[in-house]
Amino acid sequence: MSKITDSLRMTVIAGIVLTVVMVLVAPMIAGEPESLGDKAREQINELTRGE
Amino acid sequence: MDLDIGSYAFYIRWFHVLSGVMWIGLLWYFNFVQVPAMPGIPDEQKPAVGKHIAPKALFWFRWGAAFTILFGLWLAALNGYLHEVLTLGVGTGQIRYTLLGFGMWFGIIMAFNVWFIIWPKQKIALGLVDADAAEKPKAAATAKMFSRINTLLSIPMFFGMVSFQNY
């Protein structure tokens, strides 16, 4: 039976921690998603401009 | 059968995944099997690994890395999101671009490590190029450290790749 070494275990744990950090910071980097409502309002404004 | 742009991208994705499995499969073989097994192998048997198995594994490992990056960038360009993901989806409001971007950058860093650090150091450590005897253990330690860094990065890298398909 092969046993995982301590350094390899630490590598895997660090990889999982980095994954969690990545998931937590991703929404901050991507910014607020544009809602469909906002998009529709924008298009209506554009179409009715000047009326 | 029509070969439209959609199915063209499908085949590029297929080659991307095939190359990626070759690359990361061997990376994990080195880290989870070969390196931990070496101390338990009798000295007279070590050359079987160092002279015969490792050079062949390293050949498929480094070319797997190169083709994974090539097909991955090609695929992103074909799908029209290469710029968005390489800029980490900043301000796009689409987390999947950010996560895939992280995955792609981790993959690019890992491939750089393979070609410009691990492979040159392994050539010294395995005696495939002329070098001082004192240099060999140092080169082996550097190659091992960067191989470990790549194993670490492979975990979030895969998360980024898989998350894009599941959004």
Side-chain angles (χ1 to χ4, degrees):
Chain A
M1 178 64 193
S2 185
K3 217 177 122 194
I4 191 164
T5 60
D6 285 347
S7 72
L8 197 52
R9 187 183 298 118
M10 289 310 295
T11 303
V12 173
I13 291 169
I16 293 167
V17 170
L18 183 58
T19 306
V20 173
V21 171
M22 182 180 83
V23 171
L24 292 176
V25 300
M28 295 177 229
I29 293 170
E32 282 295 311
E34 197 179 18
S35 74
L36 280 176
D38 290 343
K39 221 171 194 177
R41 203 168 301 122
E42 216 170 85
Q43 280 180 343
I44 291 167
N45 286 343
E46 226 163 85
L47 290 169
T48 56
R49 197 169 290 151
E51 280 183 13
Chain B
M1 189 178 80
D2 289 336
L3 195 66
D4 63 14
I5 195 74
S7 58
Y8 178 31
F10 172 84
Y11 290 108
I12 300 301
R13 174 173 282 127
W14 183 36
F15 289 129
H16 173 59
V17 172
L18 286 178
S19 315
V21 170
M22 175 65 85
W23 173 22
I24 305 300
L26 284 167
L27 172 72
W28 288 355
Y29 158 75
F30 286 129
N31 281 272
F32 286 86
V33 181
Q34 188 180 296
V35 170
M38 282 306 270
I41 296 175
D43 282 346
E44 69 275 12
Q45 291 176 14
K46 281 191 169 109
V49 176
K51 295 280 176 207
H52 297 281
I53 294 171
K56 280 188 176 61
L58 282 165
F59 171 84
W60 293 106
F61 172 68
R62 66 181 186 276
W63 285 108
F67 281 100
T68 304
I69 298 298
L70 173 75
F71 287 123
L73 292 173
W74 190 349
L75 179 64
L78 273 179
N79 286 338
Y81 50 65
L82 181 63
H83 178 259
E84 284 85 347
V85 290
L86 286 180
T87 53
L88 294 179
V90 176
T92 59
Q94 296 212 43
I95 296 168
R96 64 185 192 143
Y97 285 150
T98 307
L99 290 175
L100 182 62
F102 270 121
M104 280 176 72
W105 277 112
F106 287 149
I108 290 166
I109 292 165
M110 288 164 66
F112 178 89
N113 288 345
V114 168
W115 276 92
F116 299 105
I117 297 166
I118 297 170
W119 171 233
K121 294 294 179 190
Q122 284 286 19
K123 278 197 283 188
I124 295 168
L126 295 171
L128 304 176
V129 291
D130 290 331
D132 294 336
E135 219 183 309
K136 285 186 180 182
K138 226 171 104 183
T142 306
K144 186 183 164 188
M145 185 176 74
F146 277 87
S147 189
R148 276 291 155 85
I149 290 170
N150 275 9
T151 301
L152 191 164
L153 291 178
S154 69
I155 295 169
M157 182 274 288
F158 272 129
F159 189 98
M161 296 291 153
V162 173
S163 68
F164 194 80
Q165 304 298 319
N166 288 282
Y167 254 93

